[in-house]
Amino acid sequence: MQEDQRILDQYKILVRFLGKTLGPSYEIVLHDVREKNPGIIAIENGAISGRKLGAPITNKILRAVEQRDYKKVDYILNYTGQLKSNKYTRSSTMYIKNSKHVLIGLLCINFDDSKFYHLHEQLLRIIHPDTYNEHMEAQLFADKEQSSLVRKKLTKTDALDVEQFHSNVPELIAGIFNKVAAQYTVPLNRLTQEERVAFISQLNEFGMFRIKGAVHYVSKHLHCSAASIYRYLGKVAK
């Protein structure tokens, strides 16, 4: 336990170092995953996601932890995060393990590159003559539209895997629940038992039930008892 704390304390220093070295376009975050409800214990440039100390782990990384991806890889690189402002980040996460290879923390870097797109457009306007600039702007608009269509298609296809940043645990619970619920076209109070088991299975894959208070939330919104949720989890575990 003391070893784990020493390791995380060193990473707190690294968070400050990277935040100051890379600058305000990079959000650097350290999560402690030793307890239930993993949360932020160090953060620099948190204005990017609007999070502070104590904010929970993201849905995507919680899912990765639940799936034990850290046993196969040391980090995941360049995945997409979606901010509340609907801007996107390029994000990467490193798994922090102790000498016994037990996962104890996560070091996350979220890069907000939106301002660089604006800078790119401004440079084009300065460098090219007006007549050519009109052509370039039209081309940029076409490229942007195409990129937007690709992103919409990707988001729709992989909606469950897009990372979202939440400020507190209730937001995280609701966010995961709503992602799964969006796949169902019938009211949740009309799901069959088989559909409820499938619903619980998906929530479980996201690590939902690692979070304190999740069972109560799910039972309320699935219109069933907490005992039923535990029974469904028992079926999923078999």
Side-chain angles (χ1 to χ4, degrees):
M1 194 68 177
Q2 289 182 345
E3 178 205 12
D4 295 352
Q5 192 58 54
R6 281 198 298 271
I7 293 171
L8 292 177
D9 285 344
Q10 284 298 114
Y11 273 94
K12 286 181 180 180
I13 298 172
L14 181 60
V15 166
R16 293 195 294 272
F17 171 74
L18 290 175
K20 296 183 188 316
T21 302
L22 297 176
S25 295
Y26 289 83
E27 180 184 67
I28 317 297
V29 180
L30 178 64
H31 289 282
D32 185 344
V33 301
R34 294 174 297 170
E35 305 292 336
K36 197 154 182 141
N37 293 354
I40 295 176
I41 58 172
I43 184 168
E44 289 290 324
N45 305 324
I48 289 176
S49 69
R51 293 176 299 169
K52 299 179 181 179
L53 292 177
I57 192 172
T58 65
N59 58 310
K60 180 180 177 66
I61 300 305
L62 180 61
R63 186 182 194 184
V65 170
E66 180 65 26
Q67 300 300 311
R68 299 178 182 272
D69 289 355
Y70 57 88
K71 290 186 175 291
K72 296 173 283 187
V73 297
D74 293 320
Y75 46 77
I76 48 177
L77 301 174
N78 299 323
Y79 54 88
T80 299
Q82 184 178 18
L83 300 170
K84 291 181 180 179
S85 62
N86 284 326
K87 291 196 298 184
Y88 292 86
T89 63
R90 177 159 55 84
S91 302
S92 299
T93 292
M94 185 177 78
Y95 298 114
I96 303 170
K97 307 166 194 174
N98 63 19
S99 59
K100 296 180 181 179
H101 305 289
V102 174
L103 183 70
I104 61 171
L106 304 161
L107 179 66
C108 306
I109 300 179
N110 305 306
F111 175 43
D112 176 11
D113 59 1
S114 58
K115 66 177 66 175
F116 296 100
Y117 284 112
H118 297 311
L119 179 61
H120 175 251
E121 292 177 3
Q122 289 170 5
L123 284 174
L124 286 175
R125 291 191 182 98
I126 294 171
I127 294 170
H128 296 287
D130 289 344
T131 52
Y132 187 63
N133 191 45
E134 289 177 4
H135 168 73
M136 290 300 296
E137 285 186 345
Q139 185 62 49
L140 273 172
F141 179 80
D143 290 345
K144 191 178 291 184
E145 285 294 292
Q146 180 64 26
S147 176
S148 177
L149 287 173
V150 170
R151 174 163 277 174
K152 284 178 182 177
K153 182 178 179 181
L154 181 66
T155 301
K156 184 176 180 181
T157 303
D158 301 323
L160 288 176
D161 204 39
V162 173
E163 181 175 51
Q164 293 180 315
F165 304 93
H166 299 291
S167 300
N168 53 60
V169 170
E171 275 188 13
L172 173 61
I173 292 174
I176 295 174
F177 186 91
N178 291 337
K179 273 180 175 287
V180 175
Q183 300 174 89
Y184 292 81
T185 56
V186 298
L188 297 184
N189 61 350
R190 294 174 57 189
L191 295 180
T192 65
Q193 182 168 318
E194 184 178 347
E195 287 171 331
R196 282 182 178 177
V197 171
F199 196 108
I200 295 300
S201 178
Q202 283 187 284
L203 292 177
N204 194 48
E205 287 178 10
F206 269 97
M208 176 72 131
F209 300 103
R210 285 177 174 265
I211 310 171
K212 187 176 180 180
V215 170
H216 174 74
Y217 183 95
V218 174
S219 65
K220 178 181 177 182
H221 287 79
L222 274 188
H223 308 278
C224 59
S225 67
S228 295
I229 301 299
Y230 285 116
R231 187 169 66 252
Y232 297 147
L233 279 171
K235 291 182 178 182
V236 168
K238 291 181 180 179

